Amino acid sequence: MRRKWEFDVSEAVRIHAHGGAEALVYEHVPLPEPGPGEALVHHTAIGLNFIDVYYRSGLYKVPHLPVTLGMEGAGTVSAVGPGVGHVKPGDRVAYAGGPLGAYATDRVIPADRLVLIPDGIDDRTAATMMMQGMTAAYLLHRTYPVRAGDWIVVHAAAGGVGLILCQWARQLGARAIGVVSSPGKAELALANGAVAAVVGYGSLAAEVKKLTGGAMVPVVYDSVGKDSFTASLDCLAPLGMMVTYGAASGPVPPVDPAILGARGSLFLTRPSLAHYPARRADLERYAGLLFEVVRNGAVKISVNQEFRLADAAAAHRAIEARATTGSTVLIP
Ligand code: NDP
């Protein structure tokens, strides 16, 4: 349990201006007491996400500067403000999504974003699976509900979201074609549920055509953005769903809707974790689906890299250099 004076200060990684990894500053920041509807969480583990890079660089807007980065963590509730009923001090909790502020030893957060971590899932796993796993949950269950027998294309298949998507697709009876940048990553995707792996985008559509006997796929989950967008469209069957959910290589340039018609009445969507689990009932649904597949072993969360929170800059450099696989944890 926290002592009173500890409400006053947290150690955190903030940016004072947008920039490269060197913009991340480890420092003491003021820590308010939780207000109405809020909880104070003492982090034991924090998840690193590629999205953190977008907020750092300025691709995504931050509410103010300086700001503490980070969208995902796990730990223990230290205190709650008035009107908070579903969590109490001592509870083991995790969360993902806004508001920013996870890169800290302690933080105040709207309590309705917290879920209890079930027995059998440790904090390190919980901290790294919420963002990537709930994203996989809504992509596979809502954006395009995958059916047994579907062929699907998964980009960055050896990454955090990618490894989860491939395993979960296998559990649903779908056949994931993983797209990666190296033979080593191809092996990893294949070991985690992908039925085929393609290195690079150059021959992607041709490989997909071969694998699917010319039928192509009903959905592409594309987190790479600029570099892969056109190759992804080329993989889709008529009436297929192009899901552009990330921009690791940079944002997709403006699109003329006519290209969707010409390629077979395609659908194009740009979904976000900010919206799918916005309502508490949906957050509980997606978290519940995720906890179930992790607890029953269908999806294994591979926490392949660990950094001290104070070394967040090194973690950012690694994920930007495509040097990480699976998930990455920051330990405060
Ligand atoms: P990853 O672990 O997947 O890391 C990013 C991967 O993107 C790299 O490993 C790399 O894989 C690939 N990549 C392709 N081009 C580049 C490039 N130019 N620079 C760096 N990496 C590149 O990250 P996460 O699992 O955290 O996130 C995956 C994606 O999902 C991100 O784009 C993120 O923005 C998105 N996302 C979207 C959400 C949403 O709700 N819309 C929520 C959560 C994540 P390889 O080397 O194999 O190409």
Side-chain angles (χ1 to χ4, degrees):
M1 207 54 55
R2 303 177 58 78
R3 292 185 296 271
K4 172 69 183 152
W5 65 267
E6 287 178 296
F7 285 128
D8 297 340
V9 72
S10 166
E11 285 160 41
V13 172
R14 298 201 294 182
I15 54 165
H16 292 251
H18 294 296
E22 71 287 347
L24 299 168
V25 183
Y26 189 70
E27 57 193 348
H28 287 101
V29 300
L31 182 63
E33 292 195 31
E38 293 180 333
L40 176 63
V41 175
H42 177 62
H43 286 138
T44 48
I46 297 155
L48 176 80
N49 289 284
F50 206 89
I51 285 180
D52 304 344
V53 172
Y54 307 147
Y55 281 108
R56 193 207 68 215
S57 70
L59 179 64
Y60 284 5
K61 283 198 174 14
V62 296
H64 48 75
L65 287 169
V67 70
T68 302
L69 292 187
M71 304 208 75
E72 164 177 66
T76 309
V77 175
S78 308
V80 295
V84 174
H86 74 289
V87 293
K88 59 180 185 320
D91 282 346
R92 224 161 56 87
V93 292
Y95 64 89
L100 292 172
Y103 283 12
T105 52
D106 305 85
R107 73 169 299 182
V108 169
I109 186 167
D112 73 351
R113 296 293 88 196
L114 298 174
V115 294
L116 295 172
I117 303 173
D119 291 345
I121 297 180
D122 61 43
D123 289 15
R124 206 166 160 270
T125 305
T128 54
M129 72 184 223
M130 296 300 291
M131 175 75 110
Q132 296 165 350
M134 285 204 296
T135 300
Y138 84 69
L139 289 175
L140 295 170
H141 286 273
R142 180 75 204 272
T143 308
Y144 172 87
V146 160
R147 286 164 308 206
D150 280 346
W151 284 94
I152 68 174
V153 169
V154 173
H155 281 277
V161 180
L163 283 187
I164 298 173
L165 279 175
C166 290
Q167 295 175 82
W168 208 332
R170 175 177 59 188
Q171 189 258 347
L172 293 168
R175 292 170 286 188
I177 302 167
V179 190
V180 291
S181 65
S182 70
K185 288 187 176 184
E187 261 176 50
L188 191 61
L190 291 169
N192 283 273
V195 298
V198 178
V199 178
Y201 321 115
S203 64
L204 180 59
E207 293 292 334
V208 167
K209 193 169 184 182
K210 241 188 280 167
L211 287 160
T212 60
M216 311 309 278
V217 295
V219 64
V220 176
Y221 296 111
D222 186 337
S223 60
V224 170
K226 182 166 66 69
D227 289 357
S228 57
F229 186 77
T230 305
S232 293
L233 290 182
D234 290 342
C235 294
L236 285 164
L239 274 65
M241 173 77 80
M242 171 66 187
V243 183
T244 174
Y245 74 98
S249 66
V252 176
V255 174
D256 175 358
I259 67 169
L260 303 174
R263 283 176 152 86
S265 301
L266 304 180
F267 295 86
L268 169 63
T269 184
R270 201 322 181 178
S272 167
L273 192 70
H275 307 124
Y276 281 76
R279 293 185 317 153
R280 177 76 199 174
D282 292 320
L283 171 64
E284 287 175 7
R285 172 169 176 249
Y286 294 124
L289 287 167
L290 175 63
F291 291 149
E292 190 184 322
V293 289
V294 170
R295 292 179 83 190
N296 71 20
V299 172
K300 185 178 172 308
I301 305 299
S302 301
V303 187
N304 292 346
Q305 296 78 214
E306 178 176 319
F307 294 85
R308 305 297 308 172
L309 175 60
D311 297 329
H316 274 228
R317 287 191 186 100
I319 199 167
E320 283 183 280
R322 303 160 95 145
T324 63
T325 57
S327 304
T328 302
V329 70
L330 305 174
I331 301 296

